[in-house]
Structures are given as structure tokens and as C-alpha cells.
Amino acid sequence: MDLRKELPQIFDEFAEARRNGFIAAKNLKEKNVPMVGTFCTYMPQELPLAFGAAVVSLCATSDETIQEAEADLPKNLCPLIKSSYGFGKTDKCPFFYFSDIVVGETTCDGKKKMYEYLGEFKDVHVMELPNSQATKEGFDLWKSEIIKLKGILEKKFDVEIKEEDIRKAIKLKNDERKALKNMYEIGKLNPPAMTGMDILKVLYGSTFKFDKNDTIKEVNELAQRVKKEYEQGRRLDPKPRIVVTGCPIGGVTEKVVKAIEENGAYVVAFENCMGAKAIDKLVDETNEDVYDALAEKYLSIGCSCMTPNPNRIDLLGRMIDEYQADGVIDVILQACHTYAVETLSIKRFVNGEKEIPYMSIETDYSQSDIGQLNTRMTAFIEML
Ligand code: SF4
Ligand code: SF4
């Protein structure tokens, strides 16, 4: 068996999951399966999963509709927001088209204001997310918003969301998180067993697979296979090891990962929303109050829209140690003020406390900065 040839094919199948998901979504709609669209990691997916709905990520990752979006929104807005709005406006995203309701949260200012316009052509519900994780008032607000969302979904789809079904959904989502974590933690191996691009393909692709049990099985089998082949000697060459943090990446922003890996280093871990930020912490299955358990998990997400935001530092610090990082790259999407402002504290932490090099890069959804990305990555990696 040609081991090197077969694993890349499996990774590529994950990369194709978004496109294949269009047909899967259509099939689900033909069977009248409710579909809930989300834009953010804060959305408690367990609630729609509890009554058998499909959940799909609508965060758009290409520049295809940005021009259309700019007819309504300011040009100097984060590309993720413009692209997401543009796909909704132009109906070019089948996932958006098939979503019966879109659930957003009051995260960053641009996103929450964009939802007001999105609501003109789609059923949108916005959850009120507190600005801080540190207060009881914030926790109580978020818990009440989760309970409110349950009511909104029950009314919209004429269903009853039972507590026992939420428990089952919590277990299922946790099993998915464990499978993905088990896969991406292979990045701790030194020398690495897989590239950052391969890890990203699985993380990104699995968000577009609707059958969670299948996804768990596939990801577990893949991880087992990668580990086995590693033991048999299938290893990558030792190179500097990078942890990526910052804004969500995937789709066109894979260009950053490519620029790192084509210029002499490997991405061994992703701290951002496509990676550990969403997956690292499980929902407590032993908590008697399912809403407390959900509020606790989701409110602890270390997003820069929180102030203060110690959980990002905690997770990043752990990852730097566990993945033996030689450097950290902080990816900032253009005009993302919260992540841009936070670069200073992340730089201080990485340089000062962890004593390894740090670089932040600002990018958008165009291809115009690829030359510049390559130049900056080469200089950074040479320094490691
Ligand atoms: S970075 Fe923050 S706002 Fe963006 S998807 Fe993640 S949690 Fe949501
Ligand atoms: S990348 Fe930044 S500006 Fe864009 S949606 Fe996320 S938090 Fe908001």
C-alpha cells in the first residue's frame, strides 16, 4: 500500500466537504429537516441539534460577493462580515439559502450591525452576548439568552426541545469535539506527522458535514491511521513550528498557512475559531442544569470581543508549551478592531512570558498580498 498517496486523498476529501455539503443540505431540505445557520462559535449548537435540526456555518471565506456587499456596507469593514452579508444578499451561498433561520450574536460591532440588514431578507435572531466573562450578571444574561433561543427555535419550528434531548446533543457535540481534538493534537508530535494545511482541511471540512456520528467515526479513523503511519516512519522533516492565533481562517485565508508552509515552517496548531478556541473546552455533562453547562462552555470562549480576555492567553500559552512552538503568527482580518487592538497584549505575552518570536499580519480576502505574505513569512521564519 502506498501510504503517502492515500492519506493526502483523505485530507482532500475533507477539503471537498463544503462543496459536497451543498447537495447534502438540499437533500436534508427535501426531507424537511430544519436548518439553522450560524456565524459564530458562541452559538450553542446543542439546541438545534437536540430537535434534529442541521446546523451550518455561514461565515463566508471568499471575496466573490464583497463588491455587492460594499454597495450597502462600508468598504473598510472586516472581509468576513462583508463576504457573509454579500453571500446572503446575492443568494449565492446554498447554505444561507437553505437556512430557515440565522442565529447571530452581539460579538463585534460590525457583525451585530450587519445582522440588522441581513434581517431584511432572512429570519435572523441575534443573541445578546455580554462583553465580559468575569461577572455573574454577564453569566446570567448569557444563560437567559440561551433559554430564550430555545423558545425562539421551539416557536419557529413548532417543536418542544426536551432537556433529555439537550443532554444527548451535549454528549454528541462533545464526542465530535473529542474526535477533532484527538486529530489536531497529533500536531504535538515532533517532527510533525501532518502539515498545518492538512489539519485545517479536516477542521474546516468537518464544519460542513451534517451527520455528526459519521464525522466522529471518520475523524477518529483518520487520526488512528496518521498515528499508525507515524509509528511506521511516515514523518515530516523537522522545521520551525508555528502556532496560529487571531481571527477565524479557512477558505481564501488558507493563503496565510500556505505562505508559512511554503517558506520553511509548519503550522502545528490553530488557536483561533477554526481550531482549539471552539473545541478545547467541552460542555460539562455532569452539570444537572443543562443551561448552566451550556452558558459556562460558550461564555468561556476566548474571543477578542470579550473584555478582559484572559481565556485566549490561557489557551495560547498552553498550546505554545504543548506544541513546542518556535513562533506565533497572529492573523488579523483587515478592519477587525478587537483582534487588532489585542495584538499588543498577545505580543507582550508571547515575547515576554513565553520568550519566543511573534508576528501579526493583517490580511483580507484578496490575493493581492500573497507576495508580501511570502516575504514577511520568509523573514520571520529565518529568524527562528
Ligand atoms: S472570532 Fe469571535 S466573533 Fe469571530 S467567530 Fe470566533 S468567537 Fe465569533
Ligand atoms: S474577524 Fe473580527 S471584525 Fe471580523 S467578524 Fe470576526 S471579530 Fe468581527
Side-chain angles (χ1 to χ4, degrees):
M1 186 166 59
D2 184 349
L3 298 174
R4 290 207 70 95
K5 200 169 172 194
E6 290 190 5
L7 270 179
Q9 278 169 352
I10 301 171
F11 288 124
D12 286 345
E13 276 169 27
F14 273 94
E16 293 291 305
R18 184 169 186 270
R19 204 159 1 128
N20 296 337
F22 296 155
I23 298 162
K26 185 167 173 282
N27 292 340
L28 288 175
K29 287 317 293 175
E30 281 167 4
K31 290 183 195 151
N32 285 325
V33 175
M35 191 161 291
V36 176
T38 75
F39 277 107
C40 176
T41 311
Y42 283 106
M43 150 75 179
Q45 295 193 13
E46 287 81 353
L47 291 183
L49 291 174
F51 68 96
V55 182
V56 66
S57 164
L58 302 175
C59 265
T61 52
S62 95
D63 68 351
E64 203 184 321
T65 61
I66 283 189
Q67 215 178 346
E68 288 274 4
E70 285 177 349
D72 297 347
L73 301 173
K75 279 195 168 50
N76 66 340
L77 188 65
C78 154
L80 192 155
I81 302 174
K82 285 191 288 189
S83 171
S84 300
Y85 174 81
F87 273 100
K89 183 186 172 191
T90 58
D91 244 349
K92 278 188 180 163
C93 171
F95 294 133
F96 187 88
Y97 175 80
F98 289 128
S99 293
D100 300 293
I101 186 169
V102 169
V103 180
E105 297 79 14
T106 53
T107 52
C108 62
D109 289 351
K111 230 178 186 180
K112 72 184 174 208
K113 296 305 287 180
M114 180 272 280
Y115 293 140
E116 293 175 16
Y117 299 122
L118 205 65
E120 291 172 7
F121 40 83
K122 200 77 184 175
D123 189 357
V124 174
H125 172 70
V126 179
M127 299 175 77
E128 194 179 336
L129 183 72
N131 287 314
S132 171
Q133 299 150 326
T135 63
K136 177 165 183 323
E137 290 81 359
F139 181 87
D140 291 345
L141 169 63
W142 188 234
K143 182 180 172 185
S144 72
E145 284 294 295
I146 291 175
I147 294 169
K148 190 173 169 189
L149 174 65
K150 171 183 168 283
I152 297 273
L153 295 173
E154 286 180 327
K155 194 163 170 224
K156 167 87 187 169
F157 296 104
D158 195 17
V159 290
E160 187 194 348
I161 304 179
K162 297 190 192 117
E163 225 173 277
E164 64 196 78
D165 292 327
I166 299 177
R167 272 189 206 289
K168 283 184 200 150
I170 287 175
K171 162 102 182 46
L172 184 64
K173 248 327 254 183
N174 274 349
D175 286 349
E176 185 191 44
R177 289 185 186 107
K178 284 181 206 162
L180 289 167
K181 201 170 169 185
N182 179 36
M183 183 280 304
Y184 72 66
E185 284 189 342
I186 295 174
K188 290 178 186 174
L189 292 172
N190 192 359
M194 45 186 182
T195 65
M197 272 308 292
D198 288 338
I199 298 171
L200 191 59
K201 279 176 194 169
V202 183
L203 290 171
Y204 185 61
S206 58
T207 63
F208 298 105
K209 289 175 177 264
F210 295 111
D211 188 326
K212 299 257 171 255
N213 286 311
D214 269 5
T215 310
I216 292 164
K217 191 166 166 281
E218 277 175 37
V219 174
N220 278 333
E221 282 173 0
L222 173 65
Q224 208 178 8
R225 172 106 181 256
V226 174
K227 283 179 192 166
K228 190 171 159 222
E229 294 192 13
Y230 188 83
E231 279 161 20
Q232 290 168 344
R234 185 186 184 275
R235 294 162 190 217
L236 302 175
D237 294 334
K239 285 184 185 174
R241 302 163 64 84
I242 304 290
V243 169
V244 166
T245 181
C247 297
I249 56 172
V252 72
T253 42
E254 282 175 14
K255 65 184 175 180
V256 177
V257 182
K258 277 200 186 116
I260 294 169
E261 301 203 324
E262 285 172 5
N263 290 291
Y266 284 124
V267 176
V268 290
F270 296 89
E271 183 278 329
N272 48 10
C273 264
M274 195 46 73
K277 202 190 289 295
I279 298 167
D280 180 69
K281 188 173 162 55
L282 304 179
V283 179
D284 181 1
E285 291 175 33
T286 63
N287 195 324
E288 282 185 12
D289 185 331
V290 286
Y291 304 106
D292 269 345
L294 289 173
E296 196 197 320
K297 146 72 191 172
Y298 284 96
L299 196 58
S300 73
I301 292 166
C303 174
S304 62
C305 65
M306 288 292 158
T307 181
N309 185 21
N311 293 353
R312 182 178 177 201
I313 298 272
D314 285 352
L315 180 58
L316 183 61
R318 229 181 333 119
M319 293 181 84
I320 289 170
D321 296 341
E322 289 174 5
Y323 291 79
Q324 304 148 67
D326 298 304
V328 169
I329 305 258
D330 198 354
V331 180
I332 313 300
L333 290 176
Q334 207 173 55
C336 173
H337 300 317
T338 54
Y339 275 100
V341 172
E342 217 168 78
T343 55
L344 176 63
S345 57
I346 301 298
K347 183 175 193 279
R348 282 175 179 160
F349 172 71
V350 174
N351 287 164
E353 279 192 42
K354 292 293 164 186
E355 297 180 337
I356 59 170
Y358 163 94
M359 180 169 75
S360 72
I361 55 126
E362 192 187 73
T363 190
D364 60 13
Y365 281 6
S366 74
Q367 299 292 321
S368 61
D369 62 351
I370 291 201
Q372 198 202 13
L373 280 176
N374 283 326
T375 311
R376 292 197 62 199
M377 291 306 172
T378 307
F380 182 73
I381 292 162
E382 271 173 9
M383 193 175 75
L384 299 176

